Amino acid sequence: QVQLVESGGGLVQAGGSLRLSCVASGSTFSINLIGWYRQAPGKQRELVAENYSGGTTNYADSVKGRFTIARDNAKNTLYLHLNSLKPDDTAVYYCKGRGASDYSRVYWGQGTQVTVSS
């Protein structure tokens, strides 16, 4: 059984920083951690950043230059460094994975709340 668990969210003032972590457990050989999405109240879930191992990273225009995605394959962990946070960054942040051998299989974590105060 594969599980994705996000952590690292919290309350931070505008201009502050956070580091989010997504840890995959279980049959980790069967899953690729590919990116981060977020969902603000009343909004659709949107792409924040995605990175395929060995490939390029795509960032949403709204976070480009402020957020950085990273990974530690040995720890089955995907990170998101959030810098220069703005109130508009307030959302639940979700880690996304997909099946290594079945790309149609999508995995989501439970999300971690990021709240940025002005």
Side-chain angles (χ1 to χ4, degrees):
Q1 183 177 0
V2 174
Q3 290 186 328
L4 275 55
V5 179
E6 302 97 332
S7 63
L11 175 63
V12 63
Q13 290 187 318
S17 300
L18 288 170
R19 187 184 74 168
L20 308 184
S21 299
C22 171
V23 180
S25 62
S27 300
T28 56
F29 63 89
S30 68
I31 187 171
N32 294 325
L33 300 175
I34 63 172
W36 291 89
Y37 286 68
R38 67 186 181 187
Q39 187 167 19
K43 302 289 187 179
Q44 294 184 340
R45 190 171 298 185
E46 65 176 358
L47 171 72
V48 176
E50 62 180 5
N51 170 259
Y52 299 86
S53 183
T56 60
T57 302
N58 298 316
Y59 295 96
D61 288 341
S62 60
V63 308
K64 196 171 299 181
R66 299 188 297 118
F67 293 6
T68 303
I69 197 170
R71 66 178 67 245
D72 187 338
N73 290 330
K75 297 181 178 180
N76 304 121
T77 302
L78 190 72
Y79 301 99
L80 184 69
H81 297 266
L82 301 81
N83 303 122
S84 302
L85 282 161
K86 304 175 180 179
D88 285 348
D89 295 320
T90 296
V92 178
Y93 284 70
Y94 297 92
C95 176
K96 182 181 180 181
R98 71 176 185 178
S101 60
D102 183 1
Y103 293 171
S104 69
R105 185 178 295 273
V106 177
Y107 301 89
W108 295 98
Q110 86 290 340
T112 185
Q113 176 72 48
V114 172
T115 303
V116 184
S117 62
S118 60

